[in-house]
Amino acid sequence: MATSTTAVDAPADVPAPGRRPRGWRGLPVIRQLRQSVGLQRGMLVAGLVLTGIFLVTAIFAPLLAPFEYSQLRDPSGAFGAQQAPSSDHWLGTTVGGYDVLSRVIWGTRTALYVIVAAVLMSIVIGVLLGLVAGYFGGWLDRVLVVVADAIYAFPSLLLAIVVGIVLNGGESSLRGGIMAAALSITVIFVPQYLRVVRAETVRIKAEAYVESARVIGASHWRIMSRHVFRNATRTLPLILTLNASEAILTLAGLGFLGFGIEPTAAAEWGYDLQKSLSDVTSGIWWTSLFPGLAIVLVVLGLTLVGESLNDLADPRLRTRRRGPVTPADVGETSVVPGSPSADTAYLDGKGPA
């Protein structure tokens, strides 16, 4: 009579093969964090920490900044220009008499505003045009692709400067400056989303389930919104993180060249760097070091998150954790009396021979 041993139950927190973990463990970033190991995990954690610090600083800027971004004096008197770091001004003051620490902290909020506005507009416009171009094809597809290629032919920063000048003449208030910078960046990012979504849409519309939906009489809008959209936009979170870092660099470039936001309207790192150029040759290092360091750290954090998510999304680049191999736990093992397996099972205490 054959005797069988049942596989040992897996731990409750380990998902079944081929299934995604449920609950908070299934969230996009958490899932990739649990998949990562070694250097990949270190890069992702470092990027998340830097990005988290940036977001927390931007949200709580009024509480963290000791002064307003345009404040020049307090009850004790004027701050003074180019003051070295001290107990009153931890990071010193600028050539215009502003507190460097306050300008750096308030600059995170300006950068976050531009990132949110630019990325949201880019995604909405780019995804919509990509779906239409890839699904319907024809002359509309060719026109959109040609326009996207024409935009790619222009240097991104030069194109942003032209758009900024057209919108506000290069100088603006906080709201006008943010919208000008966001629209400038949107013009650059829309072709990226258009090309990615269009390529995925062309591939997906030839799948069997799309053909089946078309045969049963589903409308084009239903097919695009229910079947094509979800599958064509799976890689957008990866592009979003990388474009967020590019948005900060573009915003800083506009401010550095004098086409950004006025200092009395908002704090902006690129503008502060441009005003501190003459300080560097005079040995005044604090007015340029900290705004530049803020740009580097924020861009580094967003880039690390984007590159790590990109590696983990590609099975060829993902490093999988090896679990312990226990032959006795694999499936059901049938033991036939008198066989070598039966003798081994008996000696191991797993069943009678």
Side-chain angles (χ1 to χ4, degrees), residues 200-245:
E200 288 295 313
T201 303
V202 170
R203 178 185 63 84
I204 292 169
K205 74 175 183 179
E207 296 289 341
Y209 62 87
V210 176
E211 293 292 337
S212 301
R214 189 178 293 112
V215 168
I216 63 176
S219 63
H220 294 308
W221 172 253
R222 182 175 179 84
I223 294 174
M224 292 172 60
S225 60
R226 295 292 299 274
H227 302 290
V228 179
F229 175 77
R230 290 184 58 186
N231 296 288
T233 57
R234 290 183 177 181
T235 58
L236 291 188
L238 309 179
I239 306 175
L240 186 149
T241 54
L242 297 177
N243 282 353
S245 61

mmCIF file of all heavy atoms in Angstrom, residues 200-245:
data_model
loop_
_atom_site.group_PDB
_atom_site.id
_atom_site.type_symbol
_atom_site.label_atom_id
_atom_site.label_comp_id
_atom_site.label_asym_id
_atom_site.label_seq_id
_atom_site.Cartn_x
_atom_site.Cartn_y
_atom_site.Cartn_z
ATOM 1 N N GLU A 200 3.244 50.935 -27.342
ATOM 2 C CA GLU A 200 2.523 49.889 -26.622
ATOM 3 C C GLU A 200 1.124 49.682 -27.196
ATOM 4 O O GLU A 200 0.642 48.555 -27.271
ATOM 5 C CB GLU A 200 2.436 50.261 -25.138
ATOM 6 C CG GLU A 200 3.747 50.149 -24.399
ATOM 7 C CD GLU A 200 4.235 48.722 -24.328
ATOM 8 O OE1 GLU A 200 3.436 47.835 -23.990
ATOM 9 O OE2 GLU A 200 5.419 48.483 -24.640
ATOM 10 N N THR A 201 0.477 50.763 -27.607
ATOM 11 C CA THR A 201 -0.874 50.654 -28.160
ATOM 12 C C THR A 201 -0.859 49.887 -29.484
ATOM 13 O O THR A 201 -1.751 49.055 -29.740
ATOM 14 C CB THR A 201 -1.478 52.045 -28.370
ATOM 15 O OG1 THR A 201 -1.481 52.748 -27.120
ATOM 16 C CG2 THR A 201 -2.901 51.959 -28.894
ATOM 17 N N VAL A 202 0.121 50.153 -30.325
ATOM 18 C CA VAL A 202 0.231 49.418 -31.600
ATOM 19 C C VAL A 202 0.390 47.926 -31.350
ATOM 20 O O VAL A 202 -0.170 47.086 -32.063
ATOM 21 C CB VAL A 202 1.408 49.977 -32.423
ATOM 22 C CG1 VAL A 202 1.700 49.092 -33.624
ATOM 23 C CG2 VAL A 202 1.112 51.396 -32.878
ATOM 24 N N ARG A 203 1.145 47.569 -30.325
ATOM 25 C CA ARG A 203 1.338 46.147 -30.011
ATOM 26 C C ARG A 203 0.087 45.538 -29.404
ATOM 27 O O ARG A 203 -0.314 44.427 -29.763
ATOM 28 C CB ARG A 203 2.513 45.989 -29.048
ATOM 29 C CG ARG A 203 2.792 44.557 -28.616
ATOM 30 C CD ARG A 203 3.875 44.499 -27.568
ATOM 31 N NE ARG A 203 3.482 45.201 -26.343
ATOM 32 C CZ ARG A 203 2.749 44.645 -25.387
ATOM 33 N NH1 ARG A 203 2.287 43.396 -25.530
ATOM 34 N NH2 ARG A 203 2.457 45.324 -24.301
ATOM 35 N N ILE A 204 -0.573 46.263 -28.497
ATOM 36 C CA ILE A 204 -1.698 45.698 -27.758
ATOM 37 C C ILE A 204 -2.940 45.564 -28.634
ATOM 38 O O ILE A 204 -3.708 44.609 -28.491
ATOM 39 C CB ILE A 204 -1.991 46.582 -26.528
ATOM 40 C CG1 ILE A 204 -0.841 46.473 -25.527
ATOM 41 C CG2 ILE A 204 -3.301 46.197 -25.863
ATOM 42 C CD1 ILE A 204 -0.903 47.491 -24.415
ATOM 43 N N LYS A 205 -3.141 46.479 -29.566
ATOM 44 C CA LYS A 205 -4.375 46.423 -30.364
ATOM 45 C C LYS A 205 -4.414 45.212 -31.286
ATOM 46 O O LYS A 205 -5.480 44.879 -31.816
ATOM 47 C CB LYS A 205 -4.536 47.704 -31.178
ATOM 48 C CG LYS A 205 -3.611 47.825 -32.373
ATOM 49 C CD LYS A 205 -3.934 49.060 -33.177
ATOM 50 C CE LYS A 205 -3.079 49.171 -34.438
ATOM 51 N NZ LYS A 205 -3.416 50.357 -35.240
ATOM 52 N N ALA A 206 -3.269 44.547 -31.470
ATOM 53 C CA ALA A 206 -3.243 43.320 -32.273
ATOM 54 C C ALA A 206 -3.437 42.065 -31.432
ATOM 55 O O ALA A 206 -3.452 40.955 -31.981
ATOM 56 C CB ALA A 206 -1.914 43.228 -33.027
ATOM 57 N N GLU A 207 -3.602 42.193 -30.120
ATOM 58 C CA GLU A 207 -3.794 41.040 -29.253
ATOM 59 C C GLU A 207 -5.183 40.444 -29.461
ATOM 60 O O GLU A 207 -6.109 41.101 -29.928
ATOM 61 C CB GLU A 207 -3.616 41.444 -27.787
ATOM 62 C CG GLU A 207 -2.212 41.927 -27.437
ATOM 63 C CD GLU A 207 -1.199 40.791 -27.431
ATOM 64 O OE1 GLU A 207 -1.625 39.623 -27.332
ATOM 65 O OE2 GLU A 207 0.012 41.072 -27.538
ATOM 66 N N ALA A 208 -5.313 39.167 -29.057
ATOM 67 C CA ALA A 208 -6.555 38.438 -29.294
ATOM 68 C C ALA A 208 -7.718 39.018 -28.500
ATOM 69 O O ALA A 208 -8.851 39.083 -28.992
ATOM 70 C CB ALA A 208 -6.360 36.959 -28.935
ATOM 71 N N TYR A 209 -7.476 39.451 -27.257
ATOM 72 C CA TYR A 209 -8.592 39.947 -26.459
ATOM 73 C C TYR A 209 -9.132 41.270 -27.001
ATOM 74 O O TYR A 209 -10.321 41.571 -26.849
ATOM 75 C CB TYR A 209 -8.176 40.083 -24.992
ATOM 76 C CG TYR A 209 -7.058 41.054 -24.714
ATOM 77 C CD1 TYR A 209 -7.298 42.395 -24.488
ATOM 78 C CD2 TYR A 209 -5.741 40.602 -24.669
ATOM 79 C CE1 TYR A 209 -6.271 43.281 -24.222
ATOM 80 C CE2 TYR A 209 -4.697 41.473 -24.395
ATOM 81 C CZ TYR A 209 -4.967 42.803 -24.173
ATOM 82 O OH TYR A 209 -3.935 43.673 -23.912
ATOM 83 N N VAL A 210 -8.274 42.085 -27.641
ATOM 84 C CA VAL A 210 -8.758 43.310 -28.269
ATOM 85 C C VAL A 210 -9.588 42.976 -29.499
ATOM 86 O O VAL A 210 -10.639 43.576 -29.756
ATOM 87 C CB VAL A 210 -7.589 44.236 -28.626
ATOM 88 C CG1 VAL A 210 -8.078 45.468 -29.374
ATOM 89 C CG2 VAL A 210 -6.836 44.646 -27.362
ATOM 90 N N GLU A 211 -9.128 42.000 -30.286
ATOM 91 C CA GLU A 211 -9.908 41.568 -31.450
ATOM 92 C C GLU A 211 -11.247 40.990 -31.029
ATOM 93 O O GLU A 211 -12.270 41.227 -31.680
ATOM 94 C CB GLU A 211 -9.111 40.540 -32.246
ATOM 95 C CG GLU A 211 -7.852 41.073 -32.914
ATOM 96 C CD GLU A 211 -8.172 42.043 -34.034
ATOM 97 O OE1 GLU A 211 -9.301 41.984 -34.571
ATOM 98 O OE2 GLU A 211 -7.300 42.871 -34.372
ATOM 99 N N SER A 212 -11.260 40.247 -29.919
ATOM 100 C CA SER A 212 -12.522 39.679 -29.435
ATOM 101 C C SER A 212 -13.488 40.782 -29.012
ATOM 102 O O SER A 212 -14.695 40.710 -29.297
ATOM 103 C CB SER A 212 -12.244 38.743 -28.256
ATOM 104 O OG SER A 212 -11.378 37.694 -28.641
ATOM 105 N N ALA A 213 -12.971 41.806 -28.322
ATOM 106 C CA ALA A 213 -13.836 42.915 -27.922
ATOM 107 C C ALA A 213 -14.382 43.643 -29.133
ATOM 108 O O ALA A 213 -15.543 44.087 -29.141
ATOM 109 C CB ALA A 213 -13.050 43.878 -27.025
ATOM 110 N N ARG A 214 -13.570 43.770 -30.172
ATOM 111 C CA ARG A 214 -14.035 44.438 -31.383
ATOM 112 C C ARG A 214 -15.107 43.605 -32.093
ATOM 113 O O ARG A 214 -16.074 44.151 -32.647
ATOM 114 C CB ARG A 214 -12.847 44.698 -32.306
ATOM 115 C CG ARG A 214 -13.175 45.582 -33.501
ATOM 116 C CD ARG A 214 -11.959 45.842 -34.364
ATOM 117 N NE ARG A 214 -10.956 46.657 -33.679
ATOM 118 C CZ ARG A 214 -9.763 46.203 -33.300
ATOM 119 N NH1 ARG A 214 -9.429 44.947 -33.544
ATOM 120 N NH2 ARG A 214 -8.907 47.001 -32.679
ATOM 121 N N VAL A 215 -14.959 42.264 -32.072
ATOM 122 C CA VAL A 215 -15.913 41.387 -32.755
ATOM 123 C C VAL A 215 -17.278 41.427 -32.080
ATOM 124 O O VAL A 215 -18.321 41.411 -32.755
ATOM 125 C CB VAL A 215 -15.366 39.943 -32.797
ATOM 126 C CG1 VAL A 215 -16.452 38.958 -33.225
ATOM 127 C CG2 VAL A 215 -14.186 39.869 -33.759
ATOM 128 N N ILE A 216 -17.311 41.494 -30.746
ATOM 129 C CA ILE A 216 -18.597 41.483 -30.049
ATOM 130 C C ILE A 216 -19.275 42.856 -30.056
ATOM 131 O O ILE A 216 -20.338 43.025 -29.466
ATOM 132 C CB ILE A 216 -18.439 41.006 -28.593
ATOM 133 C CG1 ILE A 216 -17.558 41.986 -27.805
ATOM 134 C CG2 ILE A 216 -17.872 39.609 -28.549
ATOM 135 C CD1 ILE A 216 -17.438 41.619 -26.338
ATOM 136 N N GLY A 217 -18.650 43.838 -30.725
ATOM 137 C CA GLY A 217 -19.303 45.121 -30.916
ATOM 138 C C GLY A 217 -18.924 46.207 -29.938
ATOM 139 O O GLY A 217 -19.637 47.222 -29.852
ATOM 140 N N ALA A 218 -17.832 46.040 -29.194
ATOM 141 C CA ALA A 218 -17.412 47.085 -28.254
ATOM 142 C C ALA A 218 -16.971 48.325 -29.026
ATOM 143 O O ALA A 218 -16.347 48.233 -30.091
ATOM 144 C CB ALA A 218 -16.277 46.577 -27.375
ATOM 145 N N SER A 219 -17.280 49.486 -28.491
ATOM 146 C CA SER A 219 -16.920 50.731 -29.154
ATOM 147 C C SER A 219 -15.425 50.994 -29.026
ATOM 148 O O SER A 219 -14.729 50.402 -28.186
ATOM 149 C CB SER A 219 -17.703 51.897 -28.543
ATOM 150 O OG SER A 219 -17.354 52.055 -27.171
ATOM 151 N N HIS A 220 -14.928 51.884 -29.884
ATOM 152 C CA HIS A 220 -13.511 52.225 -29.823
ATOM 153 C C HIS A 220 -13.139 52.828 -28.460
ATOM 154 O O HIS A 220 -12.076 52.532 -27.917
ATOM 155 C CB HIS A 220 -13.169 53.222 -30.937
ATOM 156 C CG HIS A 220 -13.297 52.658 -32.312
ATOM 157 N ND1 HIS A 220 -12.686 51.488 -32.698
ATOM 158 C CD2 HIS A 220 -13.965 53.111 -33.412
ATOM 159 C CE1 HIS A 220 -12.958 51.238 -33.965
ATOM 160 N NE2 HIS A 220 -13.744 52.207 -34.416
ATOM 161 N N TRP A 221 -13.999 53.680 -27.923
ATOM 162 C CA TRP A 221 -13.709 54.300 -26.626
ATOM 163 C C TRP A 221 -13.627 53.249 -25.521
ATOM 164 O O TRP A 221 -12.756 53.313 -24.657
ATOM 165 C CB TRP A 221 -14.774 55.330 -26.308
ATOM 166 C CG TRP A 221 -14.664 55.876 -24.908
ATOM 167 C CD1 TRP A 221 -15.480 55.614 -23.850
ATOM 168 C CD2 TRP A 221 -13.650 56.759 -24.419
ATOM 169 N NE1 TRP A 221 -15.053 56.271 -22.734
ATOM 170 C CE2 TRP A 221 -13.922 56.988 -23.053
ATOM 171 C CE3 TRP A 221 -12.549 57.385 -25.004
ATOM 172 C CZ2 TRP A 221 -13.135 57.809 -22.255
ATOM 173 C CZ3 TRP A 221 -11.756 58.207 -24.217
ATOM 174 C CH2 TRP A 221 -12.047 58.413 -22.865
ATOM 175 N N ARG A 222 -14.537 52.272 -25.551
ATOM 176 C CA ARG A 222 -14.520 51.225 -24.522
ATOM 177 C C ARG A 222 -13.262 50.376 -24.639
ATOM 178 O O ARG A 222 -12.633 50.028 -23.639
ATOM 179 C CB ARG A 222 -15.770 50.357 -24.632
ATOM 180 C CG ARG A 222 -15.835 49.282 -23.552
ATOM 181 C CD ARG A 222 -17.138 48.505 -23.617
ATOM 182 N NE ARG A 222 -17.178 47.477 -22.591
ATOM 183 C CZ ARG A 222 -17.564 47.698 -21.327
ATOM 184 N NH1 ARG A 222 -17.936 48.907 -20.954
ATOM 185 N NH2 ARG A 222 -17.581 46.709 -20.455
ATOM 186 N N ILE A 223 -12.881 50.044 -25.850
ATOM 187 C CA ILE A 223 -11.674 49.233 -26.031
ATOM 188 C C ILE A 223 -10.442 49.993 -25.571
ATOM 189 O O ILE A 223 -9.566 49.447 -24.883
ATOM 190 C CB ILE A 223 -11.538 48.812 -27.507
ATOM 191 C CG1 ILE A 223 -12.678 47.874 -27.908
ATOM 192 C CG2 ILE A 223 -10.199 48.135 -27.761
ATOM 193 C CD1 ILE A 223 -12.705 47.531 -29.372
ATOM 194 N N MET A 224 -10.371 51.273 -25.926
ATOM 195 C CA MET A 224 -9.200 52.063 -25.540
ATOM 196 C C MET A 224 -9.126 52.275 -24.032
ATOM 197 O O MET A 224 -8.039 52.226 -23.443
ATOM 198 C CB MET A 224 -9.229 53.417 -26.259
ATOM 199 C CG MET A 224 -9.018 53.324 -27.755
ATOM 200 S SD MET A 224 -9.301 54.910 -28.593
ATOM 201 C CE MET A 224 -8.064 55.930 -27.800
ATOM 202 N N SER A 225 -10.286 52.501 -23.399
ATOM 203 C CA SER A 225 -10.274 52.812 -21.971
ATOM 204 C C SER A 225 -10.213 51.575 -21.094
ATOM 205 O O SER A 225 -9.599 51.609 -20.015
ATOM 206 C CB SER A 225 -11.518 53.636 -21.608
ATOM 207 O OG SER A 225 -12.698 52.909 -21.917
ATOM 208 N N ARG A 226 -10.808 50.472 -21.527
ATOM 209 C CA ARG A 226 -10.887 49.281 -20.681
ATOM 210 C C ARG A 226 -9.793 48.273 -20.957
ATOM 211 O O ARG A 226 -9.375 47.542 -20.048
ATOM 212 C CB ARG A 226 -12.254 48.609 -20.880
ATOM 213 C CG ARG A 226 -13.436 49.422 -20.435
ATOM 214 C CD ARG A 226 -13.451 49.588 -18.922
ATOM 215 N NE ARG A 226 -13.553 48.306 -18.254
ATOM 216 C CZ ARG A 226 -14.708 47.691 -17.990
ATOM 217 N NH1 ARG A 226 -15.843 48.266 -18.337
ATOM 218 N NH2 ARG A 226 -14.724 46.540 -17.364
ATOM 219 N N HIS A 227 -9.315 48.188 -22.186
ATOM 220 C CA HIS A 227 -8.368 47.132 -22.545
ATOM 221 C C HIS A 227 -6.975 47.669 -22.878
ATOM 222 O O HIS A 227 -5.971 47.081 -22.469
ATOM 223 C CB HIS A 227 -8.906 46.327 -23.735
ATOM 224 C CG HIS A 227 -10.251 45.706 -23.480
ATOM 225 N ND1 HIS A 227 -10.438 44.659 -22.603
ATOM 226 C CD2 HIS A 227 -11.476 46.000 -23.986
ATOM 227 C CE1 HIS A 227 -11.722 44.310 -22.581
ATOM 228 N NE2 HIS A 227 -12.368 45.118 -23.416
ATOM 229 N N VAL A 228 -6.921 48.761 -23.629
ATOM 230 C CA VAL A 228 -5.617 49.242 -24.099
ATOM 231 C C VAL A 228 -4.939 50.129 -23.056
ATOM 232 O O VAL A 228 -3.734 50.017 -22.824
ATOM 233 C CB VAL A 228 -5.793 50.016 -25.428
ATOM 234 C CG1 VAL A 228 -4.452 50.535 -25.922
ATOM 235 C CG2 VAL A 228 -6.420 49.110 -26.482
ATOM 236 N N PHE A 229 -5.703 50.989 -22.416
ATOM 237 C CA PHE A 229 -5.112 51.996 -21.519
ATOM 238 C C PHE A 229 -4.306 51.360 -20.394
ATOM 239 O O PHE A 229 -3.160 51.734 -20.150
ATOM 240 C CB PHE A 229 -6.229 52.879 -20.958
ATOM 241 C CG PHE A 229 -5.742 53.875 -19.940
ATOM 242 C CD1 PHE A 229 -5.077 55.019 -20.334
ATOM 243 C CD2 PHE A 229 -5.934 53.650 -18.580
ATOM 244 C CE1 PHE A 229 -4.618 55.935 -19.403
ATOM 245 C CE2 PHE A 229 -5.483 54.561 -17.648
ATOM 246 C CZ PHE A 229 -4.825 55.700 -18.052
ATOM 247 N N ARG A 230 -4.889 50.402 -19.690
ATOM 248 C CA ARG A 230 -4.207 49.815 -18.535
ATOM 249 C C ARG A 230 -2.911 49.122 -18.922
ATOM 250 O O ARG A 230 -1.917 49.188 -18.197
ATOM 251 C CB ARG A 230 -5.129 48.818 -17.824
ATOM 252 C CG ARG A 230 -6.301 49.444 -17.106
ATOM 253 C CD ARG A 230 -7.090 48.403 -16.356
ATOM 254 N NE ARG A 230 -6.259 47.693 -15.393
ATOM 255 C CZ ARG A 230 -6.676 46.645 -14.692
ATOM 256 N NH1 ARG A 230 -7.897 46.171 -14.860
ATOM 257 N NH2 ARG A 230 -5.873 46.060 -13.833
ATOM 258 N N ASN A 231 -2.910 48.442 -20.055
ATOM 259 C CA ASN A 231 -1.720 47.703 -20.461
ATOM 260 C C ASN A 231 -0.671 48.593 -21.119
ATOM 261 O O ASN A 231 0.514 48.266 -21.100
ATOM 262 C CB ASN A 231 -2.118 46.575 -21.425
ATOM 263 C CG ASN A 231 -2.999 45.537 -20.772
ATOM 264 O OD1 ASN A 231 -2.561 44.745 -19.948
ATOM 265 N ND2 ASN A 231 -4.282 45.555 -21.121
ATOM 266 N N ALA A 232 -1.108 49.706 -21.694
ATOM 267 C CA ALA A 232 -0.158 50.579 -22.387
ATOM 268 C C ALA A 232 0.528 51.556 -21.458
ATOM 269 O O ALA A 232 1.501 52.203 -21.858
ATOM 270 C CB ALA A 232 -0.872 51.349 -23.506
ATOM 271 N N THR A 233 0.045 51.703 -20.240
ATOM 272 C CA THR A 233 0.598 52.703 -19.319
ATOM 273 C C THR A 233 1.318 52.085 -18.132
ATOM 274 O O THR A 233 1.561 52.758 -17.130
ATOM 275 C CB THR A 233 -0.530 53.617 -18.802
ATOM 276 O OG1 THR A 233 -1.550 52.810 -18.181
ATOM 277 C CG2 THR A 233 -1.144 54.416 -19.929
ATOM 278 N N ARG A 234 1.704 50.830 -18.209
ATOM 279 C CA ARG A 234 2.356 50.183 -17.074
ATOM 280 C C ARG A 234 3.763 50.705 -16.826
ATOM 281 O O ARG A 234 4.265 50.647 -15.713
ATOM 282 C CB ARG A 234 2.398 48.674 -17.287
ATOM 283 C CG ARG A 234 1.033 48.006 -17.186
ATOM 284 C CD ARG A 234 1.115 46.498 -17.329
ATOM 285 N NE ARG A 234 -0.187 45.876 -17.162
ATOM 286 C CZ ARG A 234 -0.400 44.569 -17.224
ATOM 287 N NH1 ARG A 234 0.620 43.757 -17.473
ATOM 288 N NH2 ARG A 234 -1.614 44.080 -17.050
ATOM 289 N N THR A 235 4.427 51.187 -17.852
ATOM 290 C CA THR A 235 5.799 51.682 -17.694
ATOM 291 C C THR A 235 5.855 53.178 -17.363
ATOM 292 O O THR A 235 6.951 53.704 -17.169
ATOM 293 C CB THR A 235 6.598 51.435 -18.981
ATOM 294 O OG1 THR A 235 5.950 52.092 -20.077
ATOM 295 C CG2 THR A 235 6.698 49.950 -19.282
ATOM 296 N N LEU A 236 4.711 53.846 -17.292
ATOM 297 C CA LEU A 236 4.723 55.286 -17.044
ATOM 298 C C LEU A 236 5.287 55.668 -15.674
ATOM 299 O O LEU A 236 5.955 56.694 -15.568
ATOM 300 C CB LEU A 236 3.309 55.858 -17.208
ATOM 301 C CG LEU A 236 2.746 55.863 -18.634
ATOM 302 C CD1 LEU A 236 1.442 56.640 -18.676
ATOM 303 C CD2 LEU A 236 3.747 56.457 -19.615
ATOM 304 N N PRO A 237 5.030 54.912 -14.599
ATOM 305 C CA PRO A 237 5.653 55.297 -13.324
ATOM 306 C C PRO A 237 7.175 55.368 -13.390
ATOM 307 O O PRO A 237 7.790 56.196 -12.716
ATOM 308 C CB PRO A 237 5.187 54.199 -12.352
ATOM 309 C CG PRO A 237 3.887 53.741 -12.922
ATOM 310 C CD PRO A 237 4.070 53.815 -14.399
ATOM 311 N N LEU A 238 7.795 54.522 -14.203
ATOM 312 C CA LEU A 238 9.246 54.567 -14.341
ATOM 313 C C LEU A 238 9.676 55.852 -15.047
ATOM 314 O O LEU A 238 10.631 56.520 -14.636
ATOM 315 C CB LEU A 238 9.731 53.351 -15.128
ATOM 316 C CG LEU A 238 9.229 51.980 -14.650
ATOM 317 C CD1 LEU A 238 9.781 50.882 -15.533
ATOM 318 C CD2 LEU A 238 9.617 51.744 -13.205
ATOM 319 N N ILE A 239 8.955 56.210 -16.125
ATOM 320 C CA ILE A 239 9.284 57.436 -16.857
ATOM 321 C C ILE A 239 8.991 58.654 -15.998
ATOM 322 O O ILE A 239 9.705 59.662 -16.064
ATOM 323 C CB ILE A 239 8.483 57.498 -18.166
ATOM 324 C CG1 ILE A 239 8.698 56.220 -18.986
ATOM 325 C CG2 ILE A 239 8.866 58.705 -18.996
ATOM 326 C CD1 ILE A 239 7.855 56.141 -20.225
ATOM 327 N N LEU A 240 7.958 58.570 -15.159
ATOM 328 C CA LEU A 240 7.568 59.707 -14.331
ATOM 329 C C LEU A 240 8.692 60.110 -13.385
ATOM 330 O O LEU A 240 8.997 61.297 -13.241
ATOM 331 C CB LEU A 240 6.304 59.354 -13.551
ATOM 332 C CG LEU A 240 5.623 60.450 -12.727
ATOM 333 C CD1 LEU A 240 4.120 60.189 -12.692
ATOM 334 C CD2 LEU A 240 6.159 60.501 -11.307
ATOM 335 N N THR A 241 9.321 59.136 -12.718
ATOM 336 C CA THR A 241 10.386 59.467 -11.776
ATOM 337 C C THR A 241 11.590 60.080 -12.476
ATOM 338 O O THR A 241 12.209 61.027 -11.974
ATOM 339 C CB THR A 241 10.821 58.211 -11.014
ATOM 340 O OG1 THR A 241 11.177 57.178 -11.951
ATOM 341 C CG2 THR A 241 9.692 57.700 -10.135
ATOM 342 N N LEU A 242 11.924 59.560 -13.654
ATOM 343 C CA LEU A 242 13.050 60.126 -14.389
ATOM 344 C C LEU A 242 12.728 61.522 -14.915
ATOM 345 O O LEU A 242 13.587 62.414 -14.907
ATOM 346 C CB LEU A 242 13.426 59.200 -15.546
ATOM 347 C CG LEU A 242 13.914 57.791 -15.134
ATOM 348 C CD1 LEU A 242 14.170 56.948 -16.364
ATOM 349 C CD2 LEU A 242 15.160 57.880 -14.277
ATOM 350 N N ASN A 243 11.498 61.723 -15.365
ATOM 351 C CA ASN A 243 11.115 63.044 -15.858
ATOM 352 C C ASN A 243 11.026 64.068 -14.733
ATOM 353 O O ASN A 243 11.218 65.268 -14.967
ATOM 354 C CB ASN A 243 9.767 62.969 -16.587
ATOM 355 C CG ASN A 243 9.909 62.399 -17.983
ATOM 356 O OD1 ASN A 243 11.014 62.182 -18.464
ATOM 357 N ND2 ASN A 243 8.800 62.128 -18.632
ATOM 358 N N ALA A 244 10.718 63.628 -13.521
ATOM 359 C CA ALA A 244 10.692 64.548 -12.390
ATOM 360 C C ALA A 244 12.075 65.143 -12.143
ATOM 361 O O ALA A 244 12.210 66.347 -11.877
ATOM 362 C CB ALA A 244 10.180 63.837 -11.142
ATOM 363 N N SER A 245 13.113 64.316 -12.254
ATOM 364 C CA SER A 245 14.473 64.845 -12.089
ATOM 365 C C SER A 245 14.841 65.777 -13.236
ATOM 366 O O SER A 245 15.493 66.808 -13.023
ATOM 367 C CB SER A 245 15.470 63.687 -11.997
ATOM 368 O OG SER A 245 15.460 62.905 -13.179
#
